Amino acid sequence: MAYDNNNIFAKILRGEAPAFNVYEDDHSLAFMDVMPQVPGHTLVIPKDPAADIHAADPVILGATVATVQKVADAVKAAFAAPGIMIAQLNGPAAGQTVFHLHFHILPRHEGLEFRMHARDMEDAEVLEAHAAKVRACLQP
Ligand code: 5GP
């Protein structure tokens, strides 16, 4: 799929759209999903412009997955989650709605079902509080 420079995650990377960031390094950025399926739903994206996993440079993909692990550790601690679900969708048929490669990190608790994908917007104060909790659990 061709990469669209005006997708929402490209705008977040350029600072043209707001985000509740939790982590950034040379190759990746992590921030809260604005329509979380569970409290603490966090996204990790490479800075490189790839629409999906098929278009990604394998070296950058590896570095992005290392960031996923780091942020998932922090999300697990921040939300005292016994389980962490990692999701990654490619193509509309798989449910992808934003065409910049990203990984979903979802803290899971027994009996707590997750909400519909990309449906209900969370309040900004809640998202900022959740981002602060994750940031506090990230090693420097
Ligand atoms: P996909 O459907 O492509 O796997 O996931 C896209 C995710 O991006 C969804 O979970 C959706 O809630 C989230 N999302 C859509 N627009 C925005 C936005 O403007 N900011 C943030 N932080 N997340 C967004």
Side-chain angles (χ1 to χ4, degrees):
M1 176 171 300
Y3 185 80
D4 174 6
N5 270 315
N6 284 319
N7 75 73
I8 185 64
F9 293 170
K11 289 181 178 174
I12 287 172
L13 282 169
R14 292 196 296 269
E16 295 168 7
F20 299 92
N21 292 354
V22 298
Y23 176 80
E24 180 170 12
D25 59 25
D26 288 347
H27 59 79
S28 58
L29 180 70
F31 51 91
M32 306 314 292
D33 194 301
V34 290
M35 292 170 268
Q37 293 182 255
V38 289
H41 184 168
T42 306
L43 301 171
V44 174
I45 66 173
K47 291 184 174 178
D48 220 42
D52 59 22
I53 201 164
H54 307 290
D57 178 295
V59 174
I60 289 171
L61 183 61
T64 306
V65 170
T67 299
V68 171
Q69 182 188 41
K70 182 190 286 256
V71 176
D73 287 349
V75 170
K76 181 173 171 61
F79 288 85
I84 289 286
M85 186 167 107
I86 307 292
Q88 199 282 304
L89 313 181
N90 301 283
Q96 185 178 9
T97 58
V98 176
F99 297 95
H100 179 112
L101 173 63
H102 54 279
F103 291 81
H104 298 259
I105 299 172
L106 295 108
R108 300 298 310 273
H109 296 80
E110 295 266 351
L112 182 65
E113 291 307 315
F114 50 88
R115 295 186 287 267
M116 290 293 288
H117 180 67
R119 175 73 66 87
D120 299 317
M121 191 77 82
E122 183 56 277
D123 290 341
E125 308 82 68
V126 172
L127 292 171
E128 178 46 36
H130 288 175
K133 276 170 66 150
V134 177
R135 286 195 295 266
C137 291
L138 274 160
Q139 302 300 317

